[in-house]
Amino acid sequence: MSVWQLVAVGLVMLLGLIGVLLPGVPGQAIVWAAVLWWALTDMTPAAWAVLIGATALLLLNQALKPLLPPRRPHESGAPRRTLMLGGIGGIVGFFVVPVVGAIAGYVGVIYGAERLRLGSRGRAGPRSAR
């Protein structure tokens, strides 16, 4: 795989991560397609193992999504700007501390933004916990 192909796969994955935040964009499918592209081009056992893992995670996510209760952070009263910042914080957190950092980044940024907006810890906590 050439360097330019690897950069293109990375950009498609980034597009998929951004697509997860935007309604109507199939972000998970885009990321999976990028992994498929990489695995078909690289043809190593590690690439196929990553593709199998990504496929398993995608299928697990699709199977469990209907079982989870619907969560609507916007109903907590947090503005759209705060939620978008939380999404960006989740993506940054994912790369700083893989996997666990996404949750910590999302919740931490929403809490921080709401604390700045509302001015107190007591009022910001419930909005980031919903």
Side-chain angles (χ1 to χ4, degrees), residues 17 20 31 37 81 92 116 119 128:
L17 287 174
V20 170
V31 171
W37 177 14
R81 179 177 177 268
V92 170
L116 286 174
S128 61

Side-chain angles (χ1 to χ4, degrees), residues 16 30 40 47 55 67 83:
I30 292 172
L40 289 174
T55 303
L67 300 176
L83 299 176

Side-chain angles (χ1 to χ4, degrees), residues 16 22 48 76 88 92 97-98 107 117-118 120 124 129:
L22 301 174
W48 288 104
S76 70
I88 292 168
V92 170
V97 180
V107 173
R117 186 175 75 89
L118 298 172
S120 78

Side-chain angles (χ1 to χ4, degrees), residues 1-128:
M1 175 176 254
S2 71
V3 172
W4 293 110
Q5 259 187 324
L6 198 56
V7 168
V9 168
L11 289 174
V12 171
M13 283 187 179
L14 181 63
L15 176 69
L17 287 174
I18 292 170
V20 170
L21 298 175
L22 301 174
V25 179
Q28 298 169 346
I30 292 172
V31 171
W32 182 84
V35 173
L36 175 66
W37 177 14
W38 173 69
L40 289 174
T41 306
D42 203 17
M43 294 288 202
T44 62
W48 288 104
V50 170
L51 178 62
I52 291 168
T55 303
L57 284 175
L58 179 69
L59 293 175
L60 181 68
N61 181 34
Q62 294 301 318
L64 293 179
K65 194 181 290 185
L67 300 176
L68 297 173
R71 308 235 2 162
R72 308 223 190 283
H74 193 54
E75 290 177 0
S76 70
R80 181 176 290 278
R81 179 177 177 268
T82 298
L83 299 176
M84 288 301 288
L85 286 173
I88 292 168
I91 290 173
V92 170
F94 177 81
F95 287 106
V96 173
V97 180
V99 182
V100 179
I103 297 166
Y106 178 76
V107 173
V109 168
I110 286 182
Y111 175 77
E114 286 297 287
R115 180 149 185 203
L116 286 174
R117 186 175 75 89
L118 298 172
S120 78
R121 181 175 52 191
R123 291 173 48 192
R127 293 182 191 269
S128 61

